[in-house]
Amino acid sequence: MIAAGLFYQDEPIPKAPERTASHLPDRCREMRRMARCCSFSTASEAELFLRQGRFMEEFEDNCPYDGEFHRYFPSYQAMNDRQLRGYFTWRTRIRHGNTEAAPSAFALLYIYELLNGIGWERAEEGFRLLKEFRTAWMPFDPGIGRSLCRWMSDYVVYYDLDKSHLEELPGPDPDQPVLTLLQSPSCSADELFAALKALAPHPPDQSPFYRKHPEEMKEIIFRVYTGLEKRSGGATPEKPPFGELRSTRYHMFGSALFCDPLKRMEFRYEINPVHRYLCENGNWSVERFFLRSDKLRRLETLLKAVEGRMRNAFGFSPALKEESLSAGRLAFIDKTIEQYREEKRRAAEPAIRIDLSRLGTIRRDAEEICEKLTVEDPDSAGTEPVSSPLEHPSPPPAEDRREENETAGPFSALDEGERQFLRCLLSGRPWKDLLRSERKSLAMMVDSINEKLFEHFNDTAIVCDGDTPELPEEYAEELKGEIGE
């Protein structure tokens, strides 16, 4: 018996997913026919991929695929019909902002399309799509990150994008340490230390001495390195520190299916002074900085020598083995350490401040005291008051006045040790023993004399070129007349 109200009619049986996938859209069939005109060498496979990719550039599908597809160089031609429709369905969803899990070969094929100029009109748009896909795909397959970053770097060069796009790539710039060293006079101590740390086989921040004296070590390494560079004339991009520039052949977008759509013949792209790409007659090469082990050993020796000398100066145990560095360089390191520590000692001394705003008050107080010291003669009422001897002292004898005049003036502030030092400079006699007997460093002696004579000359009386003090000729004659030779 048929229940009341129920009606039955013929309905089509749904097709199985396999049958739907096996039915290729006409666009896909036409794409398949393109393969008949090409043999399957590596070069022609890339050319076929580019032709098929451009033909299918706007195609969209809706036939999901949850199977597997493994291929080192995936291409449309390497897929069966189900995989082909599954790929275009997955790509359609990506273009609508929905990245889903899929075989890794699908991801590679999508990247190949973007590298070959498929799926974008402007090169900047293609770079943006690569960047967005990398962010979305990394959770599914982190292993693709390294290759994709290298291809994105090649993409900036090949399509001649602004090199600021390279800053959007993850990871440190491998050229930055040597670029910092090329600009060492203008960089900071922290920047220079970071560059040397990145290059040194044994980073200096791993030592126990550095952990106790990090700022001191950074500053002294900075002064030693920049000072030695100045003496040697400094490094240049043609002669970079701790390495050399080498030119090697380069395969643009290596390990990717790439058909070279621009067919560049002559092209040059410079990333920085030690990293550039050249295309000559269609052949690519890269010129970039490479470290040299022998030069890195010299860097290691220098850093060890600085630390060893600092340990000795700071009284840090244990001492390090003496490095095989020239006597001149070791002396320069010692001098740099001594100057730095002297600056620290002087900076720690309490500053003497004179409050000039109180001079008026002090003068008024002195006048009041003088008035109170003024007394009257009790036997001569009505006569002129007799002032205190402090107010009008009797003039000294003529001989004393002459001696006073001779010692007055700006040179009277100099002590005997400072006068002897000036006499040494005027006569060319050695002065180092004098400094030892006075227990003063060269900087302390020169600064003290310059400070006392500055008001007279309105200039620096002694100038120092390194550790060599000199008297300008225009001041030497006057000093001879005042203090003799």
Side-chain angles (χ1 to χ4, degrees):
M1 179 180 293
I2 300 176
L6 293 179
F7 298 94
Y8 297 90
Q9 58 184 6
D10 294 334
E11 293 184 3
I13 300 174
K15 295 181 179 179
E18 292 80 1
R19 295 179 61 190
T20 303
S22 63
H23 175 70
L24 274 182
D26 292 341
R27 191 76 174 175
C28 293
R29 292 183 182 279
E30 293 180 34
M31 183 202 73
R32 290 284 199 202
R33 283 195 290 268
M34 291 181 180
R36 297 173 186 171
C37 64
C38 296
S39 61
F40 285 97
S41 66
T42 303
S44 61
E45 185 175 3
E47 182 181 351
L48 174 63
F49 169 75
L50 181 61
R51 290 180 57 200
Q52 290 178 325
R54 288 175 175 172
F55 183 75
M56 303 296 289
E57 190 167 21
E58 303 297 331
F59 181 73
E60 294 187 351
D61 204 343
N62 186 20
C63 185
Y65 174 72
D66 58 2
E68 295 294 328
F69 174 55
H70 301 285
R71 183 84 174 197
Y72 189 75
F73 285 102
S75 64
Y76 310 119
Q77 202 61 26
M79 296 177 176
N80 61 36
D81 291 349
R82 291 183 58 205
Q83 292 166 343
L84 186 67
R85 296 200 62 184
Y87 168 74
F88 285 121
T89 300
W90 175 81
R91 188 185 75 173
T92 299
R93 294 180 178 180
I94 285 180
R95 291 181 174 181
H96 287 82
N98 183 17
T99 303
E100 299 174 342
S104 295
F106 279 15
L108 287 174
L109 189 59
Y110 177 68
I111 293 170
Y112 294 168
E113 289 180 348
L114 296 176
L115 299 182
N116 283 276
I118 300 167
W120 50 264
E121 294 183 359
R122 298 176 62 251
E124 288 81 1
E125 180 187 359
F127 185 83
R128 177 184 60 80
L129 291 172
L130 285 168
K131 182 181 175 183
E132 291 176 353
F133 180 71
R134 181 185 184 279
T135 301
W137 187 250
M138 287 295 286
F140 299 108
D141 183 13
I144 206 172
R146 173 177 292 185
S147 295
L148 183 51
C149 283
R150 178 164 57 86
W151 292 335
M152 290 173 70
S153 177
D154 287 355
Y155 184 99
V156 172
V157 174
Y158 182 82
Y159 288 104
D160 199 17
L161 298 185
D162 191 279
K163 60 185 178 184
S164 62
H165 288 292
L166 296 173
E167 299 173 5
E168 302 177 41
L169 300 181
D173 179 0
D175 298 325
Q176 189 55 53
V178 71
L179 293 176
T180 298
L181 297 183
L182 288 174
Q183 302 169 352
S184 58
S186 59
C187 69
S188 68
D190 284 338
E191 290 170 336
L192 183 87
F193 187 83
L196 295 176
K197 172 186 168 183
L199 297 177
H202 301 91
D205 63 343
Q206 301 300 313
S207 76
F209 179 78
Y210 173 84
R211 289 193 286 270
K212 188 170 183 180
H213 300 281
E215 297 307 316
E216 292 92 337
M217 195 166 172
K218 286 181 183 178
E219 182 62 26
I220 290 176
I221 286 177
F222 174 79
R223 295 187 185 192
V224 169
Y225 184 86
T226 54
L228 293 176
E229 281 292 289
K230 185 177 180 182
R231 287 185 171 189
S232 65
T236 65
E238 292 73 26
K239 294 183 178 180
F242 313 121
E244 61 186 9
L245 293 182
R246 296 180 193 167
S247 181
T248 57
R249 291 192 62 184
Y250 190 74
H251 185 196
M252 191 64 67
F253 302 106
S255 301
L257 192 59
F258 183 68
C259 190
D260 191 14
L262 297 184
K263 298 293 188 293
R264 292 191 182 278
M265 296 301 293
E266 303 295 328
F267 182 68
R268 176 187 178 94
Y269 190 100
E270 182 169 302
I271 293 179
N272 56 54
V274 294
H275 191 178
R276 61 184 62 91
Y277 292 82
L278 298 174
C279 182
E280 298 175 322
N281 197 28
N283 298 313
W284 285 87
S285 63
V286 60
E287 184 180 46
R288 66 179 310 171
F289 173 79
F290 288 89
L291 291 169
R292 280 182 47 177
S293 58
D294 57 331
K295 293 188 175 183
L296 283 180
R297 282 195 293 271
R298 292 203 291 269
L299 169 62
E300 188 81 0
T301 299
L302 177 64
L303 294 177
K304 287 292 184 183
V306 171
E307 182 180 342
R309 295 286 171 152
M310 287 187 71
R311 287 190 180 208
N312 295 339
F314 283 70
F316 187 89
S317 296
L320 294 182
K321 184 183 74 171
E322 187 77 18
E323 293 295 329
S324 57
L325 210 61
S326 68
R329 291 199 165 201
L330 290 174
F332 180 75
I333 293 172
D334 290 339
K335 176 186 170 184
T336 303
I337 296 172
E338 180 185 354
Q339 289 178 342
Y340 175 80
R341 300 192 74 193
E342 179 63 28
E343 290 174 11
K344 284 292 187 181
R345 283 193 292 268
R346 295 181 62 183
E349 293 176 356
I352 300 175
R353 299 178 180 272
I354 299 176
D355 189 354
L356 300 178
S357 65
R358 290 190 50 79
L359 291 179
T361 303
I362 295 172
R363 189 179 296 110
R364 287 193 298 273
D365 293 343
E367 291 174 354
E368 291 177 5
I369 293 172
C370 286
E371 290 178 2
K372 292 177 180 179
L373 292 176
T374 302
V375 297
E376 293 184 356
D377 186 352
D379 297 327
S380 57
T383 63
E384 291 295 325
V386 179
S387 62
S388 166
L390 293 175
E391 184 176 357
H392 298 291
S394 58
E399 292 81 2
D400 295 341
R401 289 199 302 273
R402 183 168 56 255
E403 183 179 350
E404 181 182 340
N405 290 336
E406 289 176 355
T407 59
F411 303 99
S412 62
L414 299 171
D415 61 32
E416 184 56 30
E418 293 166 343
R419 288 172 174 271
Q420 290 184 25
F421 183 77
L422 286 169
R423 292 188 187 106
C424 290
L425 297 185
L426 289 167
S427 62
R429 296 196 303 272
W431 41 263
K432 292 187 177 180
D433 290 341
L434 173 63
L435 291 182
R436 282 192 286 270
S437 65
E438 293 288 321
R439 295 184 178 180
K440 291 183 178 180
S441 69
L442 175 62
M444 293 172 64
M445 178 66 79
V446 170
D447 288 349
S448 177
I449 294 174
N450 283 339
E451 184 177 351
K452 293 176 180 179
L453 298 184
F454 185 81
E455 186 174 352
H456 176 71
F457 290 116
N458 196 28
D459 193 5
T460 300
I462 303 176
V463 295
C464 278
D465 182 10
D467 57 358
T468 306
E470 296 179 356
L471 287 169
E473 293 183 5
E474 59 267 29
Y475 305 144
E477 291 300 322
E478 183 175 354
L479 286 168
K480 285 181 184 179
E482 294 292 340
I483 64 172
E485 290 190 44

